[in-house]
Amino acid sequence: MVSFLRLRKPKYVEPAVKYCSVGFESFDDQSPPSTAPRLGNLWLETNKNKNQTKRRQAKEHSGRCLDSCCWLTGYLCTVWWLFLFLYHCLPFTVVHEVPELMPGARLKREGLTALHPVVLVPGIVTGGLELWEGKPCADGLFRKRLWGGGFTRNPKRPLCWLEHLSLHNETGLDPPGIRVRPVPGLFGTDYSAPGYFVWDVLIKNLAKIGYEGKNLHLAAYDWRLSFQNTEIRDHSLSRLKSKIELMYRGNGYKKVVVVPHSMGVTYFLHFLKWVEMPPPMGGGGGPGWCAKHIKAIVNISPAFLGVPKAVSNILSAEGKDDAYIGAMASGVLDSGILGLQALEHITRVSRTWDSLVSLVPKGGEAIWGNMDWSPEEEHVCDLSKKRYSRFSLSNNNVNNSDLKIGFRVKDPVNYGRIISFGKAASVLHSSQLPTVDPKEFLRTTASEFDEMSRESIRKIAADKAYTAKTFFDLLHFVAPKMMKRAEAHFSHGIADNLDDPKYNHYKYWSNPLETKLPDAPDMEIYCSYGVGIPTERSYVYKLSPSSSCKGIPYRIDSSVDGEDDSCLKGGVYFTDGDENVPVLSAGFMCAKGWRGSTQFNPSGIATYVREYRNKPPSSLVERGGIKNGAHLDIMGNIALIEDILRIAAGATGEEIGGDEIHSDILRMSERVSLR
Amino acid sequence: MTFLRRRKVPYSSKPGTPDPSFEKEDDKKNQYKSSQRPSYSSKNWSCWDNCCWLIGVLCSVWCFLLFLYNATPDSIPQYVSMAITGPLPDPPGVKLRKEGLTANHPVVLVPGIVTGGLELWEGRQCAEGLLGKRLWGGSFGEFYKRPLCWLEHISLDNETGLDPPGIRVRPVSGLVAADYFARGYFVWAVIIANLAHIGYEEKSLHMVAYDWRLSFQNTEVRDQSLSRIKSNIELLVATHGGKKVVVVPHSMGVQYFLHFMKWVEAPAPMGGGGGSDWCAKHIKAVVNVGAPFLGSPKSIALHFSIEVRDIANLRAQAPGFLDKDVFGLQTFKHLMRMFRTWDATFSMVPKGGETIWGGLDWSPEMDSFNVSEKKGKNNSTHNTVQNTKSNVCNTKGVNYGRLLSFGKEWAETHSSKFERADFKNVAKGDKVANSSNCDIWLEYHEMGSKAIKAVADHKVYTTGSILDLLHYVAPKLMARGASHFSYGIADNLDYPKYGHYKYWSNPLETKLPNAPDMEIYSLYGVGLSTERGYIYKVATPSDCHIPFQIDTSVNGDSEDSCLKGGVFSSDGDETVPVISAGFMCAKGWRGKTRFNPSGIRTYIREYNHSPPANLLEGRGTQSGSHVDLLGNFALIEDVLRVAAGASGEDLGGDRVYTDIFKWSERINLQL
């Protein structure tokens, strides 16, 4: 309001002054005989001019136009204010979500109260980052959000922003002179839009049944780093350990319920191993720490075995509306300064993030399928929602094979070929394809895209297909530095013998196929994820047009489409999942890998698969939808929230209904042969 | 409106377009004048249109200016201020970094009363949807739109001093809790920024989060705040290779941390069970900033009549303003009610009684009182005292020991010359008429006029008798406070009763921990006039009013008198008098005393106030006032040096501007 008032004054003065000067000029020109008072003359002058105004509207068209524009702006502003005013006058409940729909209030009436402390572990890109030390171009941004909270003021300087977001290309830690750190705290601050929009609904519902700062904690960690580096640089794992111990003691020795999401799932797996390992590599909690402190782990949208999307991200920074690309693009593309090079810049930055490698599919061909086989091969791809939902409804009955035959696609989809160059390579039988020769990947210079020879790029592509095992060669070829760095922190294989002492190294800890779960028979592990959304599973690639040979050499061939009900759309083969994570990755460990006492789960921790079928929002008022199953939106799914609340209030897996399965996950797991 | 219409003139009659037809028209214009004008305005350009046009112009210009403002680089204001004042000195962090200082000991910050943020976790109907929003600090969330709702949520239960049913308001955690109190009003932000310059970051900095409305022990009972501090300090020490922490408490945080140091070593159910060497193992130094170790007289006025100097002055200038029902809200009354539910305010009541704060006829600050009667030779000393403290007032003839007097005459007359009536035995009763509809929160209306007169007849109260007075006028309130805080001096610290938590925040009733390597600093501003005593009057009786008010009409005899507007001031930082901030470090803990059995070294660092040179400097880099001190470059430099490993000797030992050592000498306390 103050600024308004201040602005008003000059506006009043300005026209008056202008007018006066003009008035005097014409006064002199005409030199009227009488010595009438000036003011009177001014007044006459006005009227004269007005008459002329009216008669010569055509001539002064520009003046009128400006006035009209001003008028229009004013009109719009006024109307807008009026609506804003009305909006604020409305009672709160009319405009906002109806609280009755939210399970928190209902469960409170049922008598549920906070019992077990809850720890939330965010996934990739959902945590806020703030600046602690920067280059001169970031002056004045000290402790301002670089990530989350709407990127305050950063899009003005996109290159500066990207520079601060990238890590050191060799160490994977801070570049010299730059320190960017995770933002702790449950809520974003008042100052900026909340960065943890993902957790907002869940936190609000937890608060309804009595949770607060002392028994609810959000583990903040820098999601760009490799997991062990978060401990080395920020002591994030030690902090988490100390927080869990404190909450355990401070809440009457009640074990905690951990709720990790997306990449947080593997981060917490890493923590489980770390905390029981002896220092210096581990946290020194000793065996039994998990059994003593953790009641249940409710993994939401878990990416246990990685996501194929990560491959396309690393290869070409593409991938359908990916979270982080989209987020970065909104910051960078809008600025328009970088123009077409934006994707290259994003690739350059994201290749310094070790954590991306943790999302690359794990388990190789045994899990993800080889050239001619994949666990999902019977999957029915019908992207039209109606038939799909009929299918999945009937799917509860396993013997319902008639229905399935009706939907069977003519070309069997080779999901195992995660990357194929050209549609032919994705369809033909493997015997007709050239084999991948690892020698082709040998190159003299180990650097990024820029120095790759055009020829070798073409050679690698030529009509080949890559599976979950062989695409590592491809990644090594495309992003050698990143892969080299990341190999030291992550492993993507399957362990033959888990007692091999080499598995004590931290790089195996986040891979569920190369670690044992802790010895905690009373613990429970839930896999809660959405299903019923087409999810990227494999890609058809092509070479980039030669003009951009300096940039990214490969692109998804978005011109390739299958038949109407095919799984192939725009160069991407889809399967069932939550838009980011295929069902196989999310559900396999709970459905088979850890079910019962297996080599990965020696103490027989109980596992539960909880699937939530996606139902798109029925009206616009339901923001995000309360039955949504998509990767991020599932955090607002009321069924999921109710489950978490019940578990936090003390319920066991049996009490909330055991497994709830809509997809093919059990049959898919059957097909995966794993000891 | 005429202006608006004329606005079009510049467009239509642009100079330099001599048009013959233009001139021919001139003669006719007068005839048209009367008829054309109304038709023109009604047809094309009505009043409504004009309004829209005006708003449109304003909006566009505003947007344009906003755009320009955003388009200019951030450093412009800096250039402007540089052009005016010359180059600014380097902030201490940058300076020390050039000297080669780097982050060494982890730092724990303890905010004081009022500066920490509070957020909502469960609320009544009116606060629906505001979960997680800040109730206190920041931009005060959405609550500024609903003041009554806000008051309801920020108040505590009147009897338990804990949450009212159905409301949970909790402290904000993390550095954001108290870096800025409101947008642009820094508290810790400057120190944090400077610490970051020498390499500190989130992992080596911890901001203690506690609900400053609660009594100290209740923060543990309700939120486990003390356990959290303990666990966090242990974590910081463990992750920094065994380097002990440097604790920087401010204002009430000082007492809170004293409480913590006792709590952490006390055995389990009441204490933290850390064992008797916990502090020695984990704490390198406690750097107290603006420490009200012995309380602040301000809190007496707050408790007695809920006003301080500023409020009293406001009341004097605009009588009735505060008491008026503005939109039926009764702002002031609501605020008072809220304030009374906060237990933590009792921690600021002056401690140590007459021994520390002075009796009827003496006080430690009194340079001239007894002396001036002896005439002559002492005039010179008196002058020097005045010269050194040019900012502060003339202390001549001021009885600081009389914390509260009814009338100026009683404040000045020697105690042997008047009689004081006893008030304690006067029965309360005969209620003031029409008091039944008053709220229960004020206990004054239960007193009756006789009791009020008796209180006024007692004439003069010292720090000792003021507690009796408060107990007399507000028994319930004080009873709640007395179960959590104590204000006395211990005769024998080994009495088992001192194991109770209510003594832990009083430095005169606790021993410091057994940690001979620890250091305690007291850093405070001086050179500002600070409330030290009050002159009261009995207000005209009316319904539901507080019967006592500060008598703002009373002023001292001379220009520079310490008595202004019914308030006696002394040297200090505007909130805490020097005696409260400095005494413990100057005498009470100096060397090996019974309060400091292990001989922890203490240092006093005073910072003389000098106001900011110009407006661009904001709140100044050399300020000495209670909160602005946290932006004082000299203080920040000291804090940074300590954090980087310097000892008190490296800093230069004591740095004193006031007579604190002389005053401390006068205090006759068995050590």
Side-chain angles (χ1 to χ4, degrees):
Chain A
M1 218 41 220
V2 176
S3 57
F4 250 101
L5 292 177
R6 219 173 287 141
L7 279 170
R8 271 175 86 100
K9 220 178 276 171
K11 260 354 259 183
Y12 269 121
V13 173
E14 198 181 327
V17 170
K18 261 190 203 160
Y19 170 71
C20 283
S21 60
V22 172
F24 290 138
E25 269 170 37
S26 43
F27 178 88
D28 291 341
D29 289 346
Q30 288 154 19
S31 60
S34 70
T35 53
R38 280 178 179 181
L39 265 180
N41 262 316
L42 295 180
W43 183 244
L44 296 180
E45 202 65 30
T46 330
N47 286 308
K48 177 196 79 180
N49 288 329
K50 242 180 232 149
N51 292 342
Q52 284 160 4
T53 311
K54 202 188 169 192
R55 287 179 193 176
R56 301 151 160 245
Q57 276 178 347
K59 268 201 171 183
E60 34 171 86
H61 185 71
S62 60
R64 290 289 300 165
C65 180
L66 199 67
D67 281 346
S68 312
C69 283
C70 289
W71 178 84
L72 192 69
T73 325
Y75 188 71
L76 290 178
C77 285
T78 320
V79 172
W80 184 48
W81 286 334
L82 194 72
F83 278 119
L84 210 66
F85 178 71
L86 285 178
Y87 175 81
H88 281 298
C89 285
L90 282 174
F92 194 82
T93 43
V94 176
V95 249
H96 290 80
E97 55 205 308
V98 190
E100 280 309 301
L101 285 173
M102 283 299 152
R106 183 163 48 82
L107 293 177
K108 189 187 178 188
R109 253 176 278 131
E110 271 182 34
L112 255 66
T113 49
L115 185 70
H116 296 277
V118 173
V119 174
L120 311 174
V121 186
I124 196 165
V125 306
T126 49
L129 297 174
E130 63 187 9
L131 184 74
W132 276 81
E133 184 184 342
K135 297 268 161 76
C137 70
D139 252 356
L141 292 179
F142 175 68
R143 288 190 55 227
K144 294 274 188 319
R145 294 272 179 112
L146 286 185
W147 191 272
F151 310 135
T152 34
R153 314 211 297 157
N154 281 300
K156 258 199 289 173
R157 291 168 260 178
L159 277 180
C160 177
W161 181 59
L162 287 178
E163 184 189 352
H164 284 85
L165 271 183
S166 39
L167 294 168
H168 194 274
N169 209 4
E170 271 160 27
T171 59
L173 293 168
D174 290 323
I178 293 178
R179 281 185 290 152
V180 173
R181 296 290 178 264
V183 189
L186 275 173
F187 298 104
T189 59
D190 244 7
Y191 304 119
S192 52
Y196 302 116
F197 63 97
V198 195
W199 298 99
D200 214 35
V201 185
L202 180 59
I203 291 175
K204 281 183 177 159
N205 280 294
L206 283 168
K208 275 266 180 341
I209 64 165
Y211 281 91
E212 58 191 52
K214 71 174 173 188
N215 47 16
L216 185 58
H217 174 68
L218 193 138
Y221 64 99
D222 190 334
W223 44 263
R224 300 170 304 158
L225 299 185
S226 74
F227 301 156
Q228 192 68 10
N229 275 346
T230 62
E231 169 66 13
I232 290 168
R233 200 193 69 181
D234 297 338
H235 311 309
S236 298
L237 297 171
S238 302
R239 279 159 170 254
L240 184 54
K241 175 173 175 249
S242 142
K243 260 276 138 51
I244 291 179
E245 286 169 353
L246 173 68
M247 295 209 297
Y248 172 70
R249 280 198 309 268
N251 290 284
Y253 299 95
K254 291 268 179 281
K255 299 184 198 175
V256 300
V257 170
V258 185
V259 185
H261 173 241
S262 183
M263 193 181 81
V265 166
T266 39
Y267 186 72
F268 198 73
L269 267 186
H270 187 94
F271 173 80
L272 286 180
K273 288 299 281 185
W274 174 87
V275 74
E276 299 202 340
M277 281 289 167
M281 203 191 269
W289 192 94
C290 295
K292 189 179 164 199
H293 291 95
I294 299 175
K295 171 190 187 268
I297 305 173
V298 187
N299 301 296
I300 303 176
S301 306
F304 278 122
L305 303 177
V307 286
K309 212 175 212 176
V311 180
S312 77
N313 280 337
I314 295 172
L315 258 185
S316 62
E318 282 172 300
K320 211 177 102 250
D321 54 42
D322 190 342
Y324 88 89
I325 304 269
M328 284 181 92
S330 70
V332 180
L333 293 177
D334 292 353
S335 69
I337 296 172
L338 299 173
L340 291 170
Q341 284 183 312
L343 270 186
E344 270 86 354
H345 280 286
I346 291 173
T347 318
R348 207 173 295 277
V349 173
S350 60
R351 287 225 180 132
T352 64
W353 299 346
D354 284 343
S355 60
L356 274 192
V357 180
S358 78
L359 292 171
V360 168
K362 292 163 190 162
E365 297 184 357
I367 301 287
W368 294 93
N370 57 23
M371 298 295 273
D372 296 314
W373 167 89
S374 75
E376 290 119 318
E377 59 192 359
E378 273 182 36
H379 176 64
V380 174
C381 302
D382 191 339
L383 298 179
S384 77
K385 299 250 155 59
K386 208 173 80 188
R387 280 159 82 189
Y388 180 86
S389 59
R390 250 179 73 202
F391 162 71
S392 48
L393 274 174
S394 58
N395 191 37
N396 288 336
N397 184 353
V398 183
N399 293 328
N400 202 344
S401 52
D402 305 343
L403 207 64
K404 247 169 256 155
I405 291 165
F407 290 119
R408 174 110 0 133
V409 195
K410 282 127 211 159
D411 306 332
V413 181
N414 294 314
Y415 283 122
R417 305 176 192 181
I418 287 182
I419 304 285
S420 12
F421 286 94
K423 193 186 175 190
S426 74
V427 178
L428 291 173
H429 193 265
S430 62
S431 55
Q432 290 162 280
L433 287 174
T435 49
V436 177
D437 182 5
K439 278 175 202 155
E440 281 174 21
F441 292 104
L442 293 176
R443 282 189 301 129
T444 44
T445 51
S447 56
E448 308 292 320
F449 288 149
D450 303 5
E451 293 114 50
M452 279 186 283
S453 78
R454 191 79 192 147
E455 197 190 338
S456 62
I457 289 174
R458 203 176 298 121
K459 219 161 152 195
I460 279 169
D463 284 341
K464 284 187 194 122
Y466 296 89
T467 66
K469 192 172 130 203
T470 50
F471 69 64
F472 281 102
D473 300 327
L474 186 63
L475 292 182
H476 269 290
F477 170 74
V478 171
K481 275 187 196 161
M482 178 191 202
M483 293 309 287
K484 197 174 148 209
R485 218 174 50 230
E487 295 277 278
H489 288 286
F490 298 105
S491 166
H492 299 89
I494 299 183
D496 294 327
N497 176 9
L498 278 167
D499 294 324
D500 194 332
K502 79 166 181 175
Y503 289 114
N504 286 334
H505 191 268
Y506 61 78
K507 77 177 194 178
Y508 299 104
W509 293 347
S510 60
N511 182 354
L513 297 173
E514 291 180 305
T515 45
K516 286 186 215 170
L517 285 180
D519 178 24
D522 294 337
M523 212 165 91
E524 289 173 326
I525 295 182
Y526 297 82
C527 292
S528 309
Y529 52 91
V531 293
I533 305 181
T535 307
E536 295 168 47
R537 176 69 170 78
S538 58
Y539 301 88
V540 178
Y541 264 81
K542 65 173 181 192
L543 289 177
S544 303
S546 52
S547 61
S548 61
C549 78
K550 275 276 178 191
I552 303 163
Y554 308 114
R555 297 249 157 236
I556 293 177
D557 189 354
S558 53
S559 64
V560 180
D561 273 313
E563 286 142 56
D564 271 354
D565 54 353
S566 147
C567 297
L568 181 59
K569 274 258 165 78
V572 180
Y573 285 98
F574 290 97
T575 176
D576 198 2
D578 69 356
E579 209 170 14
N580 276 359
V581 184
V583 169
L584 182 67
S585 169
F588 174 75
M589 289 315 291
C590 287
K592 188 175 174 196
W594 287 331
R595 194 47 63 99
S597 276
T598 67
Q599 65 156 337
F600 304 113
N601 180 10
S603 63
I605 296 171
T607 61
Y608 301 94
V609 177
R610 307 279 299 172
E611 295 188 344
Y612 304 90
R613 211 169 50 244
N614 179 49
K615 279 187 202 144
S618 51
S619 70
L620 278 175
V621 184
E622 283 177 30
R623 185 165 36 90
I626 51 172
K627 289 178 179 170
N628 207 318
H631 192 64
L632 287 179
D633 295 339
I634 195 175
M635 305 295 294
N637 187 309
I638 51 169
L640 171 73
I641 290 174
E642 184 174 338
D643 284 350
I644 294 175
L645 259 54
R646 285 190 188 280
I647 294 166
T652 64
E654 297 306 327
E655 283 163 19
I656 61 167
D659 287 343
E660 183 176 318
I661 296 176
H662 300 284
S663 72
D664 257 348
I665 179 66
L666 289 180
R667 228 161 326 117
M668 285 182 207
S669 309
E670 276 314 305
R671 284 196 209 102
V672 175
S673 66
L674 196 67
R675 274 193 307 121
Chain B
M1 277 308 129
T2 50
F3 269 145
L4 297 177
R5 239 165 273 139
R6 287 172 196 179
R7 175 75 174 77
K8 269 177 261 111
V9 174
Y11 292 114
S12 55
S13 68
K14 283 211 166 83
T17 53
D19 195 322
S21 61
F22 193 94
E23 280 166 8
K24 271 180 199 165
E25 236 83 62
D26 287 357
D27 297 325
K28 295 177 188 166
K29 71 182 181 209
N30 286 338
Q31 283 111 54
Y32 289 141
K33 178 175 82 179
S34 52
S35 59
Q36 291 283 345
R37 198 168 65 96
S39 72
Y40 170 72
S41 56
S42 64
K43 203 165 139 198
N44 283 343
W45 213 243
S46 71
C47 174
W48 166 245
D49 291 334
N50 276 320
C51 286
C52 284
W53 180 83
L54 179 70
I55 293 168
V57 169
L58 292 179
C59 285
S60 326
V61 171
W62 187 46
C63 291
F64 180 66
L65 289 179
L66 208 69
F67 170 76
L68 276 185
Y69 174 79
N70 280 330
T72 51
D74 291 329
S75 40
I76 288 262
Q78 244 178 45
Y79 288 131
V80 173
S81 68
M82 288 246 286
I84 295 174
T85 57
L88 288 170
D90 268 348
V94 176
K95 189 180 123 197
L96 294 178
R97 184 190 189 157
K98 281 179 195 150
E99 281 182 25
L101 258 67
T102 49
N104 192 0
H105 295 275
V107 173
V108 175
L109 308 172
V110 189
I113 197 165
V114 179
T115 48
L118 300 173
E119 63 192 10
L120 183 74
W121 277 90
E122 184 184 344
R124 300 259 162 88
Q125 192 64 40
C126 66
E128 190 68 49
L130 294 183
L131 182 83
K133 292 280 190 315
R134 281 218 187 174
L135 271 169
W136 190 271
S139 56
F140 288 82
E142 298 266 303
F143 278 94
Y144 62 93
K145 288 179 197 157
R146 310 168 205 177
L148 279 181
C149 185
W150 180 78
L151 278 168
E152 188 184 346
H153 284 82
I154 201 86
S155 303
L156 292 169
D157 190 286
N158 207 7
E159 280 173 15
T160 60
L162 292 169
D163 291 324
I167 291 177
R168 281 184 293 145
V169 173
R170 296 289 178 266
V172 178
S173 61
L175 292 178
V176 287
D179 52 353
Y180 290 94
F181 174 61
R183 196 180 288 255
Y185 189 86
F186 71 82
V187 181
W188 292 95
V190 183
I191 286 193
I192 294 172
N194 281 296
L195 283 168
H197 277 306
I198 64 167
Y200 281 91
E201 54 193 66
E202 189 83 37
K203 69 172 174 190
S204 42
L205 272 177
H206 176 67
M207 176 82 75
V208 169
Y210 67 99
D211 190 335
W212 43 263
R213 300 170 303 159
L214 300 184
S215 73
F216 299 156
Q217 192 68 11
N218 273 347
T219 63
E220 170 67 12
V221 171
R222 198 192 71 179
D223 298 336
Q224 283 102 45
S225 299
L226 296 170
S227 304
R228 282 166 169 255
I229 302 175
K230 177 170 175 254
S231 146
N232 272 309
I233 290 181
E234 283 167 356
L235 174 69
L236 284 172
V237 173
T239 52
H240 285 78
K243 290 209 178 93
K244 300 181 202 172
V245 298
V246 169
V247 185
V248 186
H250 173 239
S251 185
M252 193 181 80
V254 168
Q255 298 189 6
Y256 189 67
F257 198 75
L258 269 184
H259 187 94
F260 170 78
M261 285 199 290
K262 286 303 279 186
W263 173 87
V264 75
E265 299 200 340
M270 200 190 274
S276 60
D277 58 350
W278 193 94
C279 291
K281 267 197 221 150
H282 291 92
I283 301 175
K284 172 190 186 264
V286 184
V287 186
N288 301 295
V289 179
F293 279 118
L294 303 176
S296 162
K298 224 176 192 172
S299 71
I300 289 292
L302 274 172
H303 277 113
F304 189 54
S305 65
I306 319 192
E307 56 190 345
V308 287
R309 179 166 50 188
D310 305 331
I311 295 177
N313 283 338
L314 183 63
R315 170 174 280 162
Q317 279 156 19
F321 170 76
L322 289 171
D323 307 319
K324 233 179 225 157
D325 294 4
V326 185
F327 309 115
L329 289 182
Q330 296 179 302
T331 326
F332 191 56
K333 208 165 137 191
H334 283 292
L335 283 176
M336 292 190 292
R337 185 200 313 218
M338 166 186 91
F339 174 79
R340 285 222 156 185
T341 64
W342 296 345
D343 279 345
T345 53
F346 294 107
S347 71
M348 303 296 268
V349 170
K351 291 163 186 162
E354 296 189 8
T355 319
I356 302 287
W357 295 91
L360 283 175
D361 292 319
W362 79 277
S363 75
E365 286 109 323
M366 195 120 320
D367 284 308
S368 47
F369 179 67
N370 289 323
V371 181
S372 63
E373 286 192 337
K374 291 175 190 166
K375 295 174 214 164
K377 62 173 182 183
N378 284 311
N379 279 349
S380 56
T381 58
H382 182 56
N383 285 337
T384 53
V385 167
Q386 265 192 345
N387 290 338
T388 52
K389 300 181 291 171
S390 52
N391 283 338
V392 193
C393 50
N394 181 357
T395 57
K396 188 172 178 182
V398 177
N399 290 313
Y400 281 125
R402 304 181 189 183
L403 204 52
L404 205 151
S405 332
F406 280 91
K408 191 186 174 190
E409 45 193 321
W410 308 126
E412 288 173 353
T413 325
H414 194 270
S415 62
S416 55
K417 292 179 189 155
F418 59 87
E419 292 283 312
R420 294 193 295 165
D422 189 20
F423 63 90
K424 285 179 204 162
N425 298 326
V426 176
K428 296 183 183 182
D430 64 323
K431 292 190 177 179
V432 181
N434 292 335
S435 64
S436 50
N437 56 352
C438 293
D439 290 309
I440 350 152
W441 57 275
L442 265 189
E443 297 170 62
Y444 279 117
H445 65 265
E446 289 171 5
M447 278 176 63
S449 50
K450 224 187 254 170
I452 291 173
K453 189 167 175 300
V455 166
D457 282 347
H458 191 65
K459 295 185 185 92
V460 169
Y461 296 87
T462 64
T463 321
S465 53
I466 198 88
L467 285 174
D468 299 334
L469 175 64
L470 288 178
H471 272 292
Y472 178 69
V473 297
K476 284 181 208 156
L477 186 76
M478 289 309 287
R480 212 178 74 219
S483 64
H484 287 288
F485 297 100
S486 168
Y487 318 107
I489 298 179
D491 294 327
N492 182 354
L493 281 165
D494 294 325
Y495 283 154
K497 76 164 181 174
Y498 290 114
H500 191 270
Y501 61 79
K502 76 177 192 179
Y503 300 104
W504 289 347
S505 59
N506 181 356
L508 298 172
E509 290 179 306
T510 45
K511 287 184 210 171
L512 286 179
N514 180 23
D517 292 336
M518 210 167 95
E519 290 175 324
I520 294 183
Y521 297 80
S522 185
L523 280 54
Y524 53 90
V526 294
L528 287 164
S529 75
T530 309
E531 291 162 60
R532 180 70 173 79
Y534 299 91
I535 290 180
Y536 266 79
K537 64 179 178 193
V538 177
T540 43
S542 64
D543 302 350
C544 310
H545 270 205
I546 302 167
F548 307 107
Q549 279 181 2
I550 294 177
D551 191 351
T552 45
S553 61
V554 180
N555 277 316
D557 302 327
S558 57
E559 268 301 292
D560 59 347
S561 166
C562 280
L563 178 59
K564 277 230 172 76
V567 177
F568 289 105
S569 352
S570 73
D571 202 354
D573 68 358
E574 254 176 344
T575 302
V576 182
V578 169
I579 199 76
S580 170
F583 173 72
M584 288 316 291
C585 283
K587 190 175 174 195
W589 288 332
R590 196 46 62 103
K592 267 193 190 180
T593 68
R594 66 190 178 107
F595 301 110
N596 179 11
S598 63
I600 296 171
R601 275 154 299 143
T602 61
Y603 301 95
I604 291 184
R605 310 278 298 171
E606 293 183 345
Y607 303 90
N608 214 352
H609 175 78
S610 61
N614 57 47
L615 278 177
L616 281 168
E617 258 185 41
R619 289 151 68 198
T621 57
Q622 297 171 53
S623 176
S625 101
H626 194 59
V627 176
D628 296 351
L629 186 64
L630 289 170
N632 186 313
F633 277 8
L635 176 130
I636 293 173
E637 191 178 327
D638 285 350
V639 172
L640 258 56
R641 283 187 191 282
V642 173
S647 69
E649 257 72 53
D650 300 338
L651 291 185
D654 294 333
R655 162 179 154 154
V656 177
Y657 295 97
T658 61
D659 289 334
I660 178 69
F661 285 113
K662 214 199 283 178
W663 296 341
S664 303
E665 276 315 304
R666 292 210 189 97
I667 293 174
N668 182 19
L669 182 71
Q670 178 219 331
L671 293 173

